[in-house]
Amino acid sequence: MAKIYKKTSGNGSIALYLGKRDFVDHVETVDIVDGVIKVDPAELEGRKVWVYLACSFRYGSDDLDLIGMNYRKDIWIQRQQIYPVVGTKPANTPMQEALLKKCEDQGHAFTFNIDTNLPCSVGLQPAPEDVGKACGVDYEVKAYIANEADDPDEKINKKDTCRLIIRKIQFAPGTIPAGPQADISKNFMMSDKLVHLEASIEKELYFHGDPIPVKVKINNETAKVVKKIKITIDQTTEVLLYQADKYTKTVLNEEFAEEVKGESTLEKTFTVIPLLSNNKEKRGLAVDGRLKDEDTNLASTTLIRPGMDKGMQGILVAYKIKVNLLVSSGGLLGGLTASDVGVELPLVLMSPKPADCEMGNSYVMIFWHA
């Protein structure tokens, strides 16, 4: 049983069908984008039918496009002529065969291969008052009627087009490395004694929404007092295409009232969970690509393979955990003379690979979904 996604042009002459909208990057290969276009030649008036798959970076809103300022840059694009049929086509997939039977002689299959060095779908969260499409990297399959594939002088009427946004996604690898550890020893003015801080996580990679246990060890050799422990998780986003822009946003900030007096120790595990639901108001936060208004999560960490062109990625996302101790002298001036002792740990956030992420070859029933 499979759900089929369908979009029809305004004039009803062409309809675009896809069996799924999420296409998985398996590191070495990416799922093929296979679909079918139904063509009614009666309204073509001698024109042709084309389909393209484009990976684009949007860095402006739709209303700016309307006044002649294009705030969308194509990173990669492929086109195919669908009707009249030209050349040879690869063998049809089971999904295409099922759709072609439905469309009868008006159905035409198409297949695209996405390059492995292209970015995954990612968006920058708009402010609550923002309207239009969010900035970020997205993929679009578009069928259209035109005389030529890409003639800048030919204006294509919106009623002669139909499109579906798809996502290129990447799941966590099967093997997860052991977690990082960081430590620091710090002394203070007028004292030769040290505060030792060690922090670690069990593994390098955690899934979105999973609790993250942070193990903290403190050895306070001084006469000062550790007043509290603060754990933050920062998301660093680097936008590479339209300008060199790099910024950091805190996605989790928790304080723990654990006091460690002078000449004493503490060893404890603190559990934190970074969630998009706690960061809905933060404009510019990187999130995994959305389809319409469905829920998503914080953007997954960008995995850069050896030899990959970073400039092609559009947006790079990374995370780090920071553990800070607030150390004060105690007494009346304790708060005024407080200082920080801190360490940082790299963190990888990704989605687990679902058991059913690969479509089967059996198509018992087709649901048409606009």
Side-chain angles (χ1 to χ4, degrees):
M1 187 176 295
K3 177 184 286 186
I4 299 297
Y5 297 91
K6 173 186 177 183
K7 271 294 179 71
T8 303
S9 64
N11 58 21
S13 295
I14 54 176
L16 169 63
Y17 300 94
L18 290 175
K20 58 182 180 179
R21 299 180 74 177
D22 285 340
F23 297 85
V24 181
D25 181 347
H26 302 277
V27 180
E28 298 299 329
T29 61
V30 182
D31 290 350
I32 63 168
V33 180
D34 56 336
V36 167
I37 295 177
K38 185 177 181 181
V39 179
D40 180 0
E43 303 294 329
L44 298 185
E45 300 175 348
R47 295 172 296 169
K48 303 170 184 176
V49 177
W50 310 81
V51 62
Y52 75 56
L53 170 61
C55 171
S56 303
F57 181 77
R58 175 179 289 277
Y59 49 98
S61 59
D62 292 333
D63 56 345
L64 293 173
D65 289 349
L66 294 176
I67 62 174
M69 299 176 67
N70 189 358
Y71 279 77
R72 181 182 178 93
K73 178 180 179 179
D74 288 332
I75 303 172
W76 175 89
I77 190 167
Q78 281 190 355
R79 287 183 172 85
Q80 294 179 21
Q81 181 176 318
I82 291 297
Y83 184 88
V85 178
V86 294
T88 58
K89 305 279 186 179
N92 294 328
T93 64
M95 186 276 296
Q96 287 173 324
E97 289 290 353
L99 281 172
L100 290 171
K101 289 179 182 177
K102 278 280 185 181
C103 297
E104 298 178 340
D105 59 345
Q106 292 188 336
H108 302 273
F110 66 88
T111 300
F112 289 108
N113 292 294
I114 302 177
D115 288 354
T116 56
N117 65 337
L118 292 174
C120 291
S121 300
V122 60
L124 301 181
Q125 182 169 260
E129 68 273 11
D130 290 344
V131 296
K133 294 182 180 179
C135 297
V137 174
D138 64 33
Y139 289 79
E140 176 187 74
V141 180
K142 176 180 175 181
Y144 60 100
I145 303 169
N147 291 305
E148 300 295 335
D150 186 27
D151 183 355
D153 296 326
E154 182 179 11
K155 181 174 176 59
I156 299 174
N157 197 306
K158 189 174 181 180
K159 70 178 183 180
D160 291 330
T161 68
C162 51
R163 68 185 72 194
L164 284 169
I165 299 297
I166 64 172
R167 293 188 293 196
K168 177 176 177 282
I169 56 177
Q170 194 171 48
F171 297 126
T175 58
I176 299 175
Q181 175 183 311
D183 60 83
I184 188 174
S185 296
K186 184 174 180 179
N187 60 359
F188 299 89
M189 188 179 299
M190 308 297 291
S191 173
D192 59 351
K193 299 299 180 76
L194 301 170
V195 172
H196 304 276
L197 168 63
E198 179 185 308
S200 62
I201 51 179
E202 295 178 351
K203 53 187 180 180
E204 184 180 48
L205 185 152
Y206 284 86
F207 300 143
H208 294 294
D210 279 0
I212 303 174
V214 182
K215 188 174 184 179
V216 177
K217 295 181 181 179
I218 302 169
N219 181 10
N220 182 11
E221 299 176 351
T222 72
K224 297 177 181 292
V225 179
V226 176
K227 302 294 289 183
K228 62 183 176 182
I229 300 169
K230 183 169 73 170
I231 298 178
T232 59
I233 297 180
D234 288 346
Q235 179 196 80
T236 300
T237 302
E238 187 174 359
V239 182
L240 302 173
L241 281 176
Y242 67 100
Q243 63 182 33
D245 192 5
K246 187 175 183 178
Y247 52 92
T248 297
K249 293 185 179 293
T250 298
V251 297
L252 179 139
N253 186 354
E254 293 192 24
E255 294 185 353
F256 302 90
E258 298 286 344
E259 187 173 271
V260 185
K261 297 184 181 299
E263 299 182 351
S264 62
T265 63
L266 174 73
E267 183 173 334
K268 190 170 183 178
T269 297
F270 302 91
T271 300
V272 294
I273 307 176
L275 295 170
L276 177 60
S277 58
N278 297 329
N279 295 275
K280 288 289 190 180
E281 304 300 315
K282 292 184 179 176
R283 182 177 188 176
L285 191 70
V287 300
D288 275 344
R290 270 193 179 97
L291 296 176
K292 292 188 177 179
D293 295 323
E294 69 182 44
D295 288 336
T296 184
N297 41 252
L298 295 168
S300 296
T301 301
T302 306
L303 300 183
I304 301 294
R305 297 186 292 270
M308 179 180 286
D309 181 4
K310 287 178 61 176
M312 288 284 288
Q313 297 308 297
I315 297 176
L316 302 181
V317 177
Y319 294 90
K320 61 183 176 183
I321 300 174
K322 295 195 293 188
V323 180
N324 285 83
L325 310 181
L326 182 67
V327 183
S328 67
S329 299
L332 294 176
L333 298 178
L336 298 176
T337 59
S339 58
D340 274 342
V341 178
V343 294
E344 296 182 356
L345 300 168
L347 171 67
V348 176
L349 282 179
M350 296 195 76
S351 297
K353 182 177 180 179
D356 61 347
C357 75
E358 296 297 334
M359 298 280 291
N361 290 334
S362 176
Y363 285 81
V364 179
M365 188 178 297
I366 296 176
F367 291 91
W368 307 95
H369 182 80

